[in-house]
Amino acid sequence: MKKKILITGGAGYIGSKLVTKLINLGHEVTVLDVLKFSSKPLNHLFGKKNFHFIKGDVRQKKIIEKLVKKNEFIIPLAALVGAPLCEKNKKEANEVNLYSINHLMKIIKKKNKKVIYLTTNSGYGVGAKNKYCDEKSPLNPISLYGRTKVQAEKIVMNYKNSIGFRLATVFGYSYRMRTDLLVNNFVYKSLHEKKLTLFEPHFRRNYIHIDDVVDAIIYSIKNFNILKSEVYNLGLSSANLTKYMLAKKIQKKLKFLKIRIVHNKKDPDQRDYYVSNKKIEKKGFKAQVLIENGIDELIKVFSYSDEKIINNY
Ligand SMILES: NC(=O)c1ccc[n+]([C@@H]2O[C@H](COP(=O)([O-])OP(=O)(O)OC[C@H]3O[C@@H](n4cnc5c(N)ncnc54)[C@H](O)[C@@H]3O)[C@@H](O)[C@H]2O)c1
């Protein structure tokens, strides 16, 4: 069954890949995006009859009301993403990541629509002794980004027709490329600088390929009633890796890579945890793309394209 789907922030890293797949499946997709970065990630879609684009801001209440009414599913991806960007633009981060979600949810409840919301699992495990996290583990986000997303998730999950995904660190190519994400960043630096400097190399994180994120969202559209009213960790279960293990996997592909460990420096991102993805797996979705395949993909992308590094770890 073809669905009418509204995606805010659809020109971004996750959005542009998700929208492309939904359009190819024949769904009627509307994207609302202020185009903070570029419209290029959507260029290949402008000719499609089932694709509708509105350049606009999620803080514009009238536009949101009109668009919610017309669609069955709402996937609010628009956000200021990442701790550094939110620190630089605190007011905007609160407005976009939190207040606009609050307003959106009021309209969604009135109109009885379905919501799929993505947040980060980055608040898990910070300062905790027990490094094993499932959906019941406390979230203690330390950054403004983390706090706005956790609060917004609470608001979204107050409504029965919502599904929440807490994402592991995403990796892989997208039409809007992000080189600030850990795996993407490590592969980029390994190729271009031929060395990786690691601090707190034992920190363990969970990862997921962007195609698996897209497939999980499509799975949740198809199986909405089975999944609704719950939050799920979403990661690749074979990839709960320390930064050192990840660097060694990259070194296996790029033999010239030198790994240097620095002991007197702290990672600003204090995530260190083992994440369980059993809950979503029991409901029938399991991430598939191996980290090795993602590394192969990224090596090709960064070897042949002119992608630039955005952020350092
Ligand atoms: N990429 C990840 O690793 C990850 C992990 C967990 C959760 N998420 C969540 O997924 C969503 C998408 O993340 P992403 O990685 O694609 O980020 P992104 O920065 O690539 O995309 C965000 C998009 O939102 C748009 N946007 C920003 N402010 C807007 C506004 N006021 N009105 C309309 N559009 C606006 C931007 O133009 C951009 O296209 C975010 O909500 C993020 O918190 C991402």
Side-chain angles (χ1 to χ4, degrees):
M1 267 277 280
K2 305 302 175 208
K3 306 285 184 196
K4 285 188 155 192
I5 305 166
L6 168 66
I7 303 183
T8 72
Y13 176 69
I14 294 175
S16 56
K17 272 252 165 145
L18 173 64
V19 176
T20 302
K21 190 140 189 194
L22 289 170
I23 290 291
N24 290 339
L25 289 170
H27 296 291
E28 196 81 23
V29 182
T30 302
V31 165
L32 174 72
D33 196 301
V34 80
L35 298 180
K36 253 185 186 303
F37 306 102
S38 166
S39 61
K40 272 192 194 151
L42 299 176
N43 275 352
H44 58 290
L45 299 173
F46 286 122
K48 308 272 183 188
K49 280 206 174 72
N50 52 338
F51 177 62
H52 314 281
F53 177 73
I54 293 147
K55 183 170 184 227
D57 196 306
V58 287
R59 291 170 290 180
Q60 291 169 287
K61 295 185 175 175
K62 285 260 146 53
I63 296 181
I64 291 288
E65 274 165 44
K66 215 169 109 188
L67 291 176
V68 168
K69 251 189 235 167
K70 286 186 187 163
N71 288 279
E72 178 186 356
F73 282 88
I74 320 294
I75 308 179
L77 301 179
L80 259 61
V81 182
L85 190 61
C86 291
E87 274 313 309
K88 249 196 238 161
N89 308 280
K90 291 194 175 84
K91 183 170 173 280
E92 190 182 346
N94 275 307
E95 286 173 3
V96 178
N97 297 8
L98 185 55
Y99 309 152
S100 83
I101 294 289
N102 195 25
H103 176 251
L104 177 74
M105 288 311 298
K106 280 184 190 156
I107 305 163
I108 286 175
K109 278 182 192 173
K110 257 195 238 157
K111 305 282 172 206
N112 203 24
K113 305 291 179 171
K114 296 169 183 150
V115 186
I116 298 163
Y117 183 73
L118 306 187
T119 185
T120 158
N121 67 15
S122 63
Y124 280 149
V126 177
K129 288 227 166 61
N130 179 4
K131 307 280 186 192
Y132 180 89
C133 301
D134 62 18
E135 289 79 357
K136 291 190 184 111
S137 304
L139 282 162
N140 302 309
I142 45 172
S143 68
L144 174 63
Y145 171 62
R147 286 196 301 277
T148 56
K149 294 294 293 183
V150 167
Q151 284 172 30
E153 185 202 70
K154 259 191 206 150
I155 296 169
V156 173
M157 296 315 299
N158 245 334
Y159 172 56
K160 62 178 188 338
N161 276 337
S162 294
I163 296 170
F165 285 118
R166 291 180 183 158
L167 267 53
T169 301
V170 186
F171 63 93
Y173 174 73
S174 171
Y175 307 103
R176 151 161 150 76
M177 198 46 190
R178 283 187 59 193
T179 46
D180 58 323
L181 296 164
L182 192 75
V183 181
N184 297 359
N185 185 274
F186 272 18
V187 175
Y188 185 97
K189 285 210 285 207
S190 300
L191 253 179
H192 292 286
E193 295 167 18
K194 303 196 168 29
K195 61 175 197 283
L196 265 184
T197 306
L198 305 182
F199 22 94
E200 304 192 284
H202 54 279
F203 273 15
R204 191 178 290 272
R205 304 224 181 115
N206 191 208
Y207 304 94
I208 184 163
H209 192 274
I210 189 162
D211 289 350
D212 277 324
V213 175
V214 167
D215 286 348
I217 295 171
I218 290 168
Y219 183 83
S220 64
I221 292 172
K222 279 193 198 143
N223 298 282
F224 193 84
N225 286 334
I226 300 166
L227 268 69
K228 72 176 183 181
S229 310
E230 296 280 346
V231 284
Y232 303 90
N233 291 333
L234 185 61
L236 177 66
S237 289
S238 66
N240 268 294
L241 305 173
T242 65
K243 287 195 275 176
Y244 184 70
M245 287 157 82
L246 174 63
K248 290 299 276 184
K249 281 188 187 288
I250 298 171
Q251 194 183 46
K252 235 180 160 178
K253 313 267 181 192
L254 300 173
K255 300 272 188 272
F256 55 76
L257 177 64
K258 297 245 176 322
I259 302 171
R260 196 166 75 93
I261 302 205
V262 174
H263 293 287
N264 58 356
K265 215 174 156 189
K266 269 193 174 288
D267 191 331
D269 184 344
Q270 287 287 302
R271 263 180 277 180
D272 178 18
Y273 47 34
Y274 182 102
V275 181
S276 163
N277 301 299
K278 284 210 174 82
K279 187 173 170 186
I280 186 68
E281 288 171 2
K282 276 188 191 149
K283 292 264 176 108
F285 181 83
K286 196 168 178 7
Q288 300 291 338
V289 183
L290 297 178
I291 197 117
E292 287 80 1
N293 295 351
I295 293 169
D296 284 339
E297 174 195 33
L298 289 163
I299 289 173
K300 287 187 187 124
V301 168
F302 294 139
S303 297
Y304 304 126
S305 79
D306 56 358
E307 296 292 348
K308 296 272 180 299
I309 195 108
I310 296 172
N311 212 346
N312 283 331
Y313 278 90

